[in-house]
Amino acid sequence: MTKHRSTDAYTNSIEAPTYQSASYYFNNADHVKAGLHDRSEPAGRYGRYSNPTWIEVENKLSELSGAESSLLFASGMAAHVTAFLTLLEAGDEVVLPSESYRQVRNVFHHILPKFGVKVHEFSIRDPDAFVANIAALRGKIKLVHLEMPSSPHMYLIDVARVREAAGPDVLLTLDSSFSPPPNFHALRHGVDLVLFSATKYLSGHGDIVCGVASGREELIEKLRWYRDTTGPITDGNTAFLLRRSLYTLQLRMDRVNAMGLEVARYLEGHPAVDRVYYNGLESHPHHKLAQQYLNGFGGVITFELKMTEEQTAAVVDRLQVPFMASNFGAPHTLVEQSTFFTYFEYSEEELVSIGVPRGTVRLALGYSNDVTAIIKDLDQALSHVQGQA
Ligand code: PLP
């Protein structure tokens, strides 16, 4: 076997090839000098540090978010953890919303305090109170982490007011997994670093797990050192699938935005439904913020049934179209009964404190499903149980 690989003659391929390699070779000592020592020539070195397919999708992600630079990670959680480990040090104080994604809260409450970080948590249910809590800590805090919309209630945050209250030097990170561009452009509103679980809408096929951080070059370079060192990276094939998915992001978002409004309006008009949480409905407590910040409201709808947990389970069991599963942004519609799935370990008290009654259902619309079929399915499931009651 020769040590040289064959040279690719098809350099006019419209789509760049997918690089799947753990390491990159140098031709001779001069090549090492140029590629590694002086960096006068771009050259790969080792698969944990870089990969041309990552770089290509990272450039596209920067374009999408209007960022100077982006990094790809093995998961949304890997992007979050790398950001916090990079940006925080012992003695720092941070703020996060009580409604943040459960595992992000776990990082703040069970990992960061081990390294001397002090955590303040406030609810975003009342956006004014959230801003006031941050203003009260002005001068003390290093970083505010935001997430919007939150799950399951789709609460929003007045990001510009948070920036103003926190002051210009505080780092603002924002988890935009539920509201990727084109629905929301976090970096236009004073956010320093936008984080995504690209497992969701960005990849949009329910077939890969990955994460993204986008922001100013200077911040991203700091995160890069941590990624290079600690290794929460993905492979070329996952980067290829994400790159391919980005071509259809706008199409997919347009479709679920339209489906979301239609299904939310249907649910709101159904007598068995107590409340619907969807940013596009005027009844959503943060509808005004939605109009201010969002260009579309996505495909996730949470609704509360006027039913016990058992009755709600019977409705969910009767649904034919959605899979009973946790995720969103995938081609398939997914349904979860919140107190059975995400919050099954929570006590009654905890459920009351987070405002999730036993009749809560989260529906994540899949763009491959027909919206009429979804509504028909909901109708048969809801009317059947109503008839029995
Ligand atoms: N942020 C939000 C809002 C999420 O819903 C999730 C996952 O469900 C994550 C972050 C973590 O992303 P991943 O599952 O890609 O690690």
Side-chain angles (χ1 to χ4, degrees):
M1 279 241 279
T2 153
K3 73 175 182 175
H4 294 292
R5 73 172 177 86
S6 58
T7 312
D8 186 0
Y10 288 84
T11 51
N12 57 342
S13 153
I14 290 177
E15 296 300 329
T18 300
Y19 289 83
Q20 193 68 35
S21 186
S23 153
Y24 305 86
Y25 73 88
F26 294 91
N27 296 322
N28 48 43
D30 281 347
H31 193 188
V32 174
K33 262 193 200 156
L36 196 57
H37 300 189
D38 328 332
R39 301 223 158 248
S40 54
E41 219 177 83
R45 177 186 182 184
Y46 184 61
R48 196 176 66 248
Y49 302 141
S50 67
N51 172 306
T53 316
W54 301 353
I55 295 170
E56 220 214 333
V57 75
E58 285 168 347
N59 289 339
K60 284 189 194 296
L61 289 160
S62 294
E63 221 175 279
L64 189 72
S65 283
E68 284 176 11
S69 191
S70 296
L71 286 179
L72 188 61
F73 289 90
S75 66
M77 286 314 299
H80 279 77
V81 171
T82 305
F84 303 139
L85 289 182
T86 304
L87 302 174
L88 296 170
E89 51 191 73
D92 285 342
E93 298 194 23
V94 297
V95 173
L96 90 153
S98 328
E99 291 81 3
S100 315
Y101 174 55
R102 195 169 46 91
Q103 301 293 21
V104 169
R105 283 185 72 216
N106 279 335
V107 171
F108 275 91
H109 291 299
H110 301 298
I111 299 179
L112 296 178
K114 291 205 302 188
F115 302 101
V117 173
K118 186 171 172 189
V119 178
H120 302 271
E121 188 180 280
F122 304 114
S123 173
I124 57 167
R125 263 185 247 190
D126 178 345
D128 293 338
F130 186 69
V131 169
N133 280 319
I134 288 169
L137 287 171
R138 193 179 169 117
K140 274 190 171 179
I141 34 178
K142 169 78 171 289
L143 182 146
V144 177
H145 176 66
L146 306 173
E147 176 184 325
M148 70 181 244
S150 68
S151 181
H153 297 112
M154 307 291 132
Y155 291 134
L156 298 173
I157 296 166
D158 196 334
V159 185
R161 281 182 66 211
V162 167
R163 161 56 75 206
E164 209 180 289
D169 299 331
V170 167
L171 290 163
L172 277 195
T173 56
L174 190 146
D175 181 346
S176 211
S177 306
F178 277 91
S179 55
N183 281 12
F184 179 50
H185 291 90
L187 298 177
R188 293 182 189 164
H189 302 283
V191 168
D192 296 294
L193 194 70
V194 63
L195 300 162
F196 298 96
S197 166
T199 313
K200 310 296 190 307
Y201 289 118
L202 292 183
S203 67
H205 290 74
D207 54 5
I208 55 172
V209 174
C210 53
V212 176
S214 300
R216 288 193 303 281
E217 175 107 36
E218 148 257 329
L219 280 183
I220 292 294
E221 285 314 301
K222 288 182 187 164
L223 264 68
R224 186 190 300 284
W225 186 87
Y226 275 78
R227 188 184 72 171
D228 284 359
T229 307
T230 62
I233 49 100
T234 187
D235 66 355
N237 206 36
T238 303
F240 155 69
L241 288 170
L242 178 57
R243 185 190 73 193
R244 191 166 69 162
S245 295
L246 292 180
Y247 288 126
T248 56
L249 179 64
Q250 172 94 48
L251 288 173
R252 290 184 282 106
M253 293 313 293
D254 285 351
R255 179 159 165 93
V256 292
N257 288 343
M259 290 171 79
L261 260 183
E262 201 171 332
V263 175
R265 285 187 181 133
Y266 158 77
L267 285 167
E268 196 168 45
H270 198 287
V273 177
D274 215 9
R275 289 201 65 150
V276 182
Y277 291 92
Y278 187 72
N279 291 141
L281 296 179
E282 280 181 17
S283 58
H284 191 281
H286 296 170
H287 181 62
K288 275 215 170 85
L289 287 173
Q291 288 177 308
Q292 188 181 336
Y293 286 103
L294 305 181
N295 302 311
F297 312 111
V300 182
I301 302 163
T302 297
F303 56 99
E304 292 169 8
L305 297 174
K306 292 175 190 158
M307 290 177 191
T308 63
E309 191 167 73
E310 289 69 32
Q311 287 172 320
T312 306
V315 172
V316 173
D317 279 353
R318 289 195 65 82
L319 289 169
Q320 299 294 308
V321 175
F323 287 95
M324 203 187 285
S326 275
N327 200 13
F328 56 91
H332 308 291
T333 298
L334 310 178
V335 67
E336 54 182 288
Q337 187 178 353
S338 306
T339 56
F340 261 13
F341 249 79
T342 317
Y343 307 110
F344 74 96
E345 287 168 318
Y346 282 43
S347 67
E348 195 59 39
E349 244 176 28
E350 284 172 311
L351 289 177
V352 170
S353 88
I354 61 166
V356 179
R358 298 275 172 191
T360 306
V361 179
R362 194 182 88 173
L363 194 62
L365 301 174
Y367 56 86
S368 75
N369 291 123
D370 174 43
V371 71
T372 317
I374 293 169
I375 291 175
K376 212 168 143 195
D377 192 29
L378 284 164
D379 216 43
Q380 65 75 22
L382 286 166
S383 57
H384 179 85
V385 176
Q386 257 192 323
Q388 278 191 342

